[in-house]
């Protein structure tokens, strides 16, 4: 049985004060949650303070991105070595990185390898655009993202997959639980083909794209949906806590 995993993706949001207020409110709201893993991924500028604010709690911290070199003349980039001082997780391959910053499957693959080399856990995002879905090539695209993103890896125990259909991100249009389940089961089958049955069974596959307090429960009821990667609804402590506590709803 895979343990539920609910992750926040703050994207480019929150100042230091806003983050501190969130942390103080959120840690109280979820302090009794012991049957679900909780992760909050924040901008680099907030990693240090979030580490202090959330010390000793049941909340893990992640970064939003990482570069694939350790150090050097890469103005503005942040390495896995630097992130490691503050966080255990990193998001790699988010569709917004792919769309606005030209991240290819090859770049995503390099980032994943570098993060793992430095013992960061990875939330690896994949998902099709509306155009690709309408063309009927969703599985082809997502399959290619998985194969190329994980290429050269032998072990995926430190990787969590986040399936996020691009057309459902920030649009209020959630994939139906059935649509999501179909893709999650496709991804799990592919993981089995690439890494074996045991790895496929153990890997958690999160759904992302307009997850809200009112729809999380029906998504989580599906066999291959093991959690959520939550954008907009994770910015408010109360609404994100309701998603984390989906079992009680
Ligand atoms: P959303 O974002 O919940 O605002 O749709 C999800 C994501 O991009 O990870």
């Amino acid at each position: 049985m895979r343990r539920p995993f609910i992750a926040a993706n703050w994207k480019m949001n929150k100042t230091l004060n806003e983050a501190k207020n969130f942390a103080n409110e959120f840690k109280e709201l979820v302090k009794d949650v012991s049957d679900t893993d909780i992760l909050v991924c924040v901008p680099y500028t907030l990693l240090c303070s979030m580490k202090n604010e959330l010390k000793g709690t049941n909340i893990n911290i992640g970064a939003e991105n990482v570069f694939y070199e350790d150090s050097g003349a890469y103005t503005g980039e942040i390495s896995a070595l630097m992130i490691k001082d503050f966080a255990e997780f990193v998001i790699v391959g988010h569709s917004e990185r792919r769309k606005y910053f030209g991240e290819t499957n090859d770049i995503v693959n390099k980032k994943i390898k570098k993060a793992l080399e430095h013992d960061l856990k990875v939330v690896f995002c994949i998902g099709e655009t509306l155009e690709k879905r309408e063309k009927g090539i969703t599985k082809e695209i997502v399959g290619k993202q998985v194969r190329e993103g994980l290429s050269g890896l032998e072990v995926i125990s430190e990787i969590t997959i986040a399936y996020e259909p691009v057309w459902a991100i920030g649009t209020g249009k959630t994939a139906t639980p059935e649509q999501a389940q179909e893709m999650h089961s496709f991804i799990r089958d592919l993981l089995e083909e690439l890494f074996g049955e045991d790895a496929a069974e153990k890997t958690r596959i999160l759904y992302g794209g307009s997850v809200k307090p009112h729809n999380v429960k029906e998504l989580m009821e599906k066999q291959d949906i093991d959690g959520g990667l939550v954008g907009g609804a994770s910015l408010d402590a109360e609404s994100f806590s309701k998603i984390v506590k989906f079992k009680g709803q």
Side-chain angles (χ1 to χ4, degrees):
M1 197 49 200
R2 293 174 295 269
R3 201 174 140 84
F5 185 9
I6 303 288
N9 173 12
W10 278 5
K11 310 190 179 186
M12 193 178 73
N13 287 293
K14 292 202 192 290
T15 61
L16 185 57
N17 260 335
E18 289 167 347
K20 284 185 177 168
N21 289 339
F22 176 99
N24 284 325
E25 194 184 344
F26 184 65
K27 66 185 171 194
E28 274 305 303
L29 289 166
V30 300
K31 66 176 191 298
D32 296 328
V33 175
S34 57
D35 53 2
T36 297
D37 287 336
I38 310 170
L39 171 65
V40 179
C41 297
V42 304
Y44 296 137
T45 48
L46 302 174
L47 285 173
C48 182
S49 71
M50 288 301 268
K51 184 183 175 187
N52 291 329
E53 298 290 336
L54 299 175
K55 197 177 285 167
T57 68
N58 53 347
I59 305 160
N60 295 292
I61 302 167
E64 295 276 326
N65 183 28
V66 62
F67 192 55
Y68 53 73
E69 295 291 347
D70 285 338
S71 62
Y74 302 100
T75 303
E77 291 299 324
I78 302 283
S79 73
L81 269 176
M82 295 166 167
I83 292 172
K84 227 173 106 165
D85 285 336
F86 308 103
E88 283 172 63
F89 286 80
V90 62
I91 297 177
V92 178
H94 191 278
S95 63
E96 287 148 16
R97 300 283 330 160
R98 295 177 189 260
K99 179 176 170 193
Y100 300 121
F101 304 97
E103 286 194 12
T104 59
N105 289 337
D106 181 48
I107 293 175
V108 170
N109 178 247
K110 284 189 189 163
K111 291 187 169 193
I112 292 177
K113 285 180 175 156
K114 188 49 89 176
L116 294 178
E117 183 188 319
H118 292 298
D119 300 320
L120 286 173
K121 297 185 172 87
V122 171
V123 177
F124 167 38
C125 302
I126 51 179
E128 80 288 0
T129 59
L130 184 60
E131 187 202 343
K132 301 284 193 280
R133 180 163 277 259
E134 283 173 347
K135 276 195 188 150
I137 54 170
T138 298
K139 288 184 180 161
E140 204 175 301
I141 292 297
V142 170
K144 192 169 153 65
Q145 290 172 333
V146 172
R147 283 177 197 278
E148 295 183 5
L150 300 180
S151 158
L153 295 183
E154 277 166 22
V155 179
I156 55 166
S157 56
E158 304 308 315
I159 294 183
T160 297
I161 308 252
Y163 168 63
E164 300 201 300
V166 179
W167 47 272
I169 295 179
T171 57
K173 256 194 238 167
T174 325
T176 63
E178 291 68 33
Q179 279 172 323
Q181 167 59 28
E182 186 190 349
M183 286 308 296
H184 283 228
S185 137
F186 165 76
I187 294 161
R188 200 175 303 286
D189 287 348
L190 183 54
L191 293 180
E192 181 172 341
E193 182 194 316
L194 298 172
F195 300 99
E197 192 182 342
D198 188 51
E201 271 310 305
K202 285 186 179 145
T203 302
R204 289 182 291 190
I205 307 177
L206 316 182
Y207 166 79
S210 300
V211 175
K212 307 285 177 201
H214 72 85
N215 60 25
V216 59
K217 198 169 178 202
E218 53 174 9
L219 286 160
M220 291 301 291
E221 276 164 4
K222 293 293 179 193
Q223 194 188 336
D224 289 294
I225 302 182
D226 307 311
L229 181 58
V230 187
S234 75
L235 294 171
D236 177 73
E238 203 178 319
S239 111
F240 189 50
S241 74
K242 283 187 185 154
I243 296 176
V244 167
K245 297 194 268 191
F246 68 94
K247 285 188 181 165
Q249 286 198 44

